[in-house]
Amino acid sequence: MAGHSKFKNIMHRKGAQDKKRSAMFSKLSREITVAAKMGAPDPDMNPRLRLAINNAKAQSMPKDNIQRAIDKAAAAGGEDYEEVRYEGYGPGGVALIVEALTDNRNRTATNVRTAFSKNGGNLGASGAVSHGFERLGMIEYAAAIGDEDKVLEAAIEAGADDVESSEDGHIVWTQMDALHEVATALETSLGEPEGVKLAWKPNITVDLDESNAQTLLKLVDTLEDDDDVQTVWGNYEVSDEVMEKLG
């Protein structure tokens, strides 16, 4: 088990998604629809759907929206999305993994490639950077849930692998196949989490100066603004001092 972490910047700035709530609901709905289409429409029988619904609830998505997204999977002639992953490099040699759900691979690939090239990055081949990350389960809790010792004790009891705590909150790490089991156990002891997802956790991180950080965050914003892009992961760190300068 680990202690403090600087992981808070890796998933981009907290609060950035709050300004994009409607876009976020759209992305969450798409994930729910895809999960329901790939398995049973019953979350108790479909771990991926259960995960998608939990994430939607964590973002206060209305129940009606969640049900509509599930029903959409059974509708004849509905959109047929596929999962695509893009890998590349951003300013300062930062490694980025972009996860997308799309009904048009050509459109998404063009948009992602353009975002990289216009913001100091280069899109690489599949597998170009993912070897520098671990695929793990990630459970997020707000700082208000309790101190580091409380979360650490609950995580050990739940069978988690690691905990990273900071003033921004707590991140509990698990193996991929243990994510649902650990998340369920933590919900009993700590309450509902802010997020439960499969994550790309970098093995090492890159510290960015103000110039590279500004360009990189613009690249991440551009990617996240694309309707097809679900998540952007990176191995970058931006210090609090640099973040304050960038506003």
Side-chain angles (χ1 to χ4, degrees):
M1 291 286 176
H4 295 283
S5 167
K6 293 194 296 180
F7 188 79
K8 59 188 174 183
N9 285 314
I10 291 174
M11 284 184 62
H12 198 27
R13 293 158 292 181
K14 268 193 179 296
Q17 292 295 344
D18 293 344
K19 302 170 187 173
K20 310 171 185 174
R21 187 154 293 270
S22 63
M24 188 203 316
F25 282 178
S26 174
K27 292 174 192 280
L28 290 167
S29 293
R30 189 177 293 197
E31 170 60 24
I32 290 169
T33 300
V34 169
K37 188 171 279 193
M38 290 179 70
D42 179 359
D44 291 331
M45 305 291 290
N46 184 337
R48 177 169 175 172
L49 178 58
R50 188 164 54 234
L51 191 60
I53 291 173
N54 286 347
N55 276 324
K57 286 179 178 176
Q59 298 300 331
S60 303
M61 186 168 166
K63 285 183 179 178
D64 288 349
N65 294 38
I66 293 172
Q67 189 58 50
R68 262 199 309 273
I70 295 172
D71 294 342
K72 203 172 178 182
E79 298 100 329
D80 198 12
Y81 297 111
E82 61 177 318
E83 296 175 281
V84 190
R85 188 174 82 228
Y86 302 95
E87 302 181 28
Y89 292 96
V94 165
L96 294 173
I97 295 176
V98 181
E99 295 178 310
L101 286 174
T102 180
D103 57 357
N104 186 326
R105 286 179 72 115
N106 290 337
R107 177 192 66 223
T108 309
T110 298
N111 290 349
V112 170
R113 186 175 293 107
T114 301
F116 270 86
S117 63
K118 286 188 174 181
N119 294 284
N122 293 291
L123 191 60
S126 178
V129 304
S130 55
H131 56 81
F133 293 74
E134 285 184 272
R135 189 67 161 153
L136 297 172
M138 174 179 162
I139 305 161
E140 298 172 281
Y141 276 97
I145 203 71
D147 62 18
E148 184 178 349
D149 289 340
K150 176 183 177 181
V151 176
L152 187 62
E153 184 178 339
I156 292 172
E157 185 70 26
D161 290 349
D162 202 0
V163 175
E164 295 179 348
S165 296
S166 74
E167 61 186 18
D168 291 329
H170 310 278
I171 296 174
V172 180
W173 295 102
T174 77
Q175 294 301 304
M176 284 174 56
D177 55 5
L179 178 58
H180 172 64
E181 184 182 332
V182 173
T184 300
L186 284 175
E187 194 166 333
T188 302
S189 56
L190 297 177
E192 200 166 300
E194 286 192 325
V196 179
K197 64 190 74 173
L198 290 174
W200 290 96
K201 184 185 182 187
N203 296 323
I204 57 171
T205 55
V206 177
D207 285 303
L208 294 179
D209 59 24
E210 186 178 348
S211 175
N212 280 327
Q214 186 170 27
T215 309
L216 177 75
L217 294 179
K218 187 181 175 190
L219 168 57
V220 173
D221 275 337
T222 302
L223 289 166
E224 288 183 340
D225 283 343
D226 190 287
D227 290 342
D228 297 333
V229 172
Q230 293 291 102
T231 324
V232 181
W233 303 95
N235 68 342
Y236 59 93
E237 294 281 359
V238 182
S239 71
D240 290 340
E241 291 76 21
V242 170
M243 288 298 284
E244 283 176 22
K245 288 179 183 177
L246 295 175

